[in-house]
Amino acid sequence: MYTANEKRYETMKYNRCGSSGLKLPAVSLGLWHNFGESADFENMRDMCRTAFDNGITHFDLANNYGPPEGSAETNFGRILKEDLSVYRDEMLISTKAGYYMWPGPYGDWGSRKYLMASLDQSLKRMGLEYVDIFYHHRMDPETPLEETMGALEQIVRSGKALYAGLSNYDGKTLERATAILQDLKVPFVINQNRYSIFDRTIEKNGLKDKAKELGKGIICFSPLAQGVLTDRYLDGIPEDSRIKTDGRFLKESTLTDEKLSKVRALKSLADKRGQSIAQMALAWVLKDDNITSVLIGASRSSQILDNIRAIDNTSFTEEELTQIEEISAGV
Ligand SMILES: NC(=O)c1ccc[n+]([C@@H]2O[C@H](COP(=O)([O-])OP(=O)(O)OC[C@H]3O[C@@H](n4cnc5c(N)ncnc54)[C@H](OP(=O)(O)O)[C@@H]3O)[C@@H](O)[C@H]2O)c1
């Protein structure tokens, strides 16, 4: 029987999510990859235990994580049941709907019909009565924003989610959504967006500044650019890496000579700071006080342990920041 490490809260930092009452661990664990049907169950279980044992209270899922869709939630439900259910009140579990989930007009995008049905399915797969955060997963150009936000309202009112979140929104749409959710008195607290040394979209589309202005948190996904911002690919492409074992979203063509030379330049800087490349990449995201958490993925527990230590040093000198800007220019 699993018993959580008694010292689990000693080293993690917890950051307030915007101006809400909710705190998130500075490092959160996502189950997008390596939790599907063909992944090794004991390894998944070990990663969840390692994360929780080290103060990672937040586990991020979505209806479509797998493959196949739904299987990450099913596997996480089994881990919860076997190991973690007694710790439910110490955990923050999130899920989402917004990408393709089932055939026909009701299993994709942002209709009320889709969101309500999808969350019911997610709860069943995970064996939960509620999730802590339910996200709309991406902006829907066709469904009226009022309808999608109205669905989030009903979901929260029904007690099936405690907080609402938005993922992959831009600054302008975030502002409109916030006004609607505020009118409806929905506890909307968090944005989930991609952000890393190599991906500055939220600096350009207004999301980062607008979230701060509105007092909303930001949790940043793919902070390691899916593994590129680590030492993983510096000596070729390992057989057990995401590019080889999955390849749906991270392709070999991403690894241009130019990108690898940038990663090598970042490594020299990380070495000087006494950090791994991964630790420095995560620290760089966490340096801003309006970033609530970095949402990492992992294929083994040792990566989680390496990444957690990023929180030991999240401050950068002006010179280091300038160097990072120069290295990452033109990615
Ligand atoms: N809202 C959205 O639309 C959205 C989209 C994408 C992701 N997400 C969320 O964000 C989470 C994280 O995304 P991500 O997996 O792309 O994040 P990531 O942290 O950028 O990449 C994780 C991958 O990097 C490698 N890695 C991690 N730590 C390492 C270390 N210390 N040394 C060497 N390699 C290391 C591993 O790859 P190997 O497998 O090669 O070992 C791992 O699977 C997802 O699980 C999901 O919850 C959300």
Side-chain angles (χ1 to χ4, degrees), residues 47-162:
M47 289 197 281
C48 289
R49 288 175 169 195
T50 300
F52 190 65
D53 275 342
N54 286 278
I56 296 185
T57 48
H58 181 31
F59 297 84
D60 180 74
L61 294 105
N63 57 354
N64 59 341
Y65 291 176
E69 288 101 352
S71 57
E73 288 181 330
T74 303
N75 281 322
F76 185 64
R78 189 175 153 199
I79 294 166
L80 274 174
K81 191 170 170 212
E82 291 177 11
D83 294 336
L84 290 166
S85 55
V86 296
Y87 303 104
R88 176 66 184 97
D89 292 340
E90 294 180 48
M91 302 174 74
L92 267 188
I93 301 167
S94 57
T95 194
K96 324 179 185 81
Y99 282 99
Y100 174 83
M101 189 59 196
W102 63 83
Y106 317 119
D108 205 349
W109 294 103
S111 70
R112 176 183 189 81
K113 168 84 175 159
Y114 171 43
L115 264 58
M116 309 281 295
S118 179
L119 178 56
D120 283 345
Q121 292 181 11
S122 292
L123 292 174
K124 217 174 271 173
R125 282 190 289 267
M126 291 190 279
L128 290 173
E129 286 176 4
Y130 71 96
V131 289
D132 298 278
I133 305 171
F134 182 68
Y135 289 93
H136 184 224
H137 209 158
R138 60 166 160 173
M139 295 187 288
D140 178 347
E142 291 182 4
T143 301
L145 201 55
E146 288 74 9
E147 175 173 338
T148 310
M149 298 307 115
L152 292 180
E153 185 215 10
Q154 188 166 340
I155 280 166
V156 171
R157 295 264 172 270
S158 70
K160 291 177 185 175
L162 303 186

Side-chain angles (χ1 to χ4, degrees), residues 256-273:
T256 57
D257 289 345
E258 194 198 357
K259 192 165 270 171
L260 287 172
S261 74
K262 288 177 186 295
V263 178
R264 285 195 185 92
L266 289 169
K267 180 172 170 17
S268 321
L269 185 57
D271 286 346
K272 283 186 208 143
R273 286 171 52 86

Side-chain angles (χ1 to χ4, degrees), residues 3 5 12 21 36 68 73 75 101 109 111 115 127 138 166 201 212 239 255-256 270 289 299 317-318:
T3 308
N5 172 13
M12 178 55 68
E73 288 181 330
N75 281 322
M101 189 59 196
W109 294 103
S111 70
L115 264 58
R138 60 166 160 173
L166 300 176
T201 307
K212 183 173 186 163
E239 284 304 316
L255 296 179
T256 57
D289 56 11
S299 62
T317 64
E318 280 307 315

Side-chain angles (χ1 to χ4, degrees), residues 20-318:
S20 76
L22 186 66
K23 286 184 180 177
L24 261 64
V27 179
S28 301
L29 182 66
L31 280 67
W32 181 33
H33 281 72
N34 307 312
F35 284 80
E37 207 165 76
S38 60
D40 178 58
F41 182 75
E42 284 310 316
N43 188 47
M44 300 176 207
R45 188 179 194 180
D46 189 57
M47 289 197 281
C48 289
R49 288 175 169 195
T50 300
F52 190 65
D53 275 342
N54 286 278
I56 296 185
T57 48
H58 181 31
F59 297 84
D60 180 74
L61 294 105
N63 57 354
N64 59 341
Y65 291 176
E69 288 101 352
S71 57
E73 288 181 330
T74 303
N75 281 322
F76 185 64
R78 189 175 153 199
I79 294 166
L80 274 174
K81 191 170 170 212
E82 291 177 11
D83 294 336
L84 290 166
S85 55
V86 296
Y87 303 104
R88 176 66 184 97
D89 292 340
E90 294 180 48
M91 302 174 74
L92 267 188
I93 301 167
S94 57
T95 194
K96 324 179 185 81
Y99 282 99
Y100 174 83
M101 189 59 196
W102 63 83
Y106 317 119
D108 205 349
W109 294 103
S111 70
R112 176 183 189 81
K113 168 84 175 159
Y114 171 43
L115 264 58
M116 309 281 295
S118 179
L119 178 56
D120 283 345
Q121 292 181 11
S122 292
L123 292 174
K124 217 174 271 173
R125 282 190 289 267
M126 291 190 279
L128 290 173
E129 286 176 4
Y130 71 96
V131 289
D132 298 278
I133 305 171
F134 182 68
Y135 289 93
H136 184 224
H137 209 158
R138 60 166 160 173
M139 295 187 288
D140 178 347
E142 291 182 4
T143 301
L145 201 55
E146 288 74 9
E147 175 173 338
T148 310
M149 298 307 115
L152 292 180
E153 185 215 10
Q154 188 166 340
I155 280 166
V156 171
R157 295 264 172 270
S158 70
K160 291 177 185 175
L162 303 186
Y163 298 91
L166 300 176
S167 183
N168 299 305
Y169 274 51
D170 58 28
K172 269 198 180 140
T173 318
L174 163 66
E175 189 167 28
R176 283 179 53 219
T178 303
I180 299 167
L181 292 168
Q182 218 162 315
D183 272 356
L184 296 171
K185 300 201 171 9
V186 178
F188 157 53
V189 296
I190 192 162
N191 295 277
Q192 187 174 131
N193 290 71
R194 186 185 294 120
Y195 190 44
S196 73
I197 290 177
F198 281 171
D199 190 321
R200 308 300 183 87
T201 307
I202 65 169
E203 293 173 0
K204 295 175 199 144
N205 71 9
L207 187 284
K208 193 174 172 202
D209 289 342
K210 191 51 78 179
K212 183 173 186 163
E213 187 190 314
L214 296 169
K216 306 298 176 188
I218 307 178
I219 180 167
C220 303
F221 72 75
S222 299
L224 302 174
Q226 297 197 58
V228 176
L229 280 166
T230 71
D231 56 8
R232 203 77 170 104
Y233 298 104
L234 291 182
D235 300 310
I237 305 177
E239 284 304 316
D240 62 356
S241 64
R242 182 175 293 190
I243 287 183
K244 286 276 186 201
T245 58
D246 191 304
R248 281 172 303 159
F249 301 96
L250 182 63
K251 303 197 186 305
E252 197 169 336
S253 55
T254 310
L255 296 179
T256 57
D257 289 345
E258 194 198 357
K259 192 165 270 171
L260 287 172
S261 74
K262 288 177 186 295
V263 178
R264 285 195 185 92
L266 289 169
K267 180 172 170 17
S268 321
L269 185 57
D271 286 346
K272 283 186 208 143
R273 286 171 52 86
Q275 290 183 313
S276 66
I277 311 173
Q279 287 165 349
M280 185 179 79
L282 298 174
W284 181 88
V285 176
L286 285 169
K287 71 185 180 328
D288 293 330
D289 56 11
N290 60 322
I291 301 297
T292 318
S293 185
V294 281
L295 179 48
I296 61 161
S299 62
R300 64 209 64 188
S301 291
S302 58
Q303 292 175 342
I304 298 172
L305 293 172
D306 178 26
N307 296 344
I308 282 175
R309 297 279 48 92
I311 63 174
D312 295 342
N313 180 10
T314 57
S315 54
F316 289 79
T317 64
E318 280 307 315

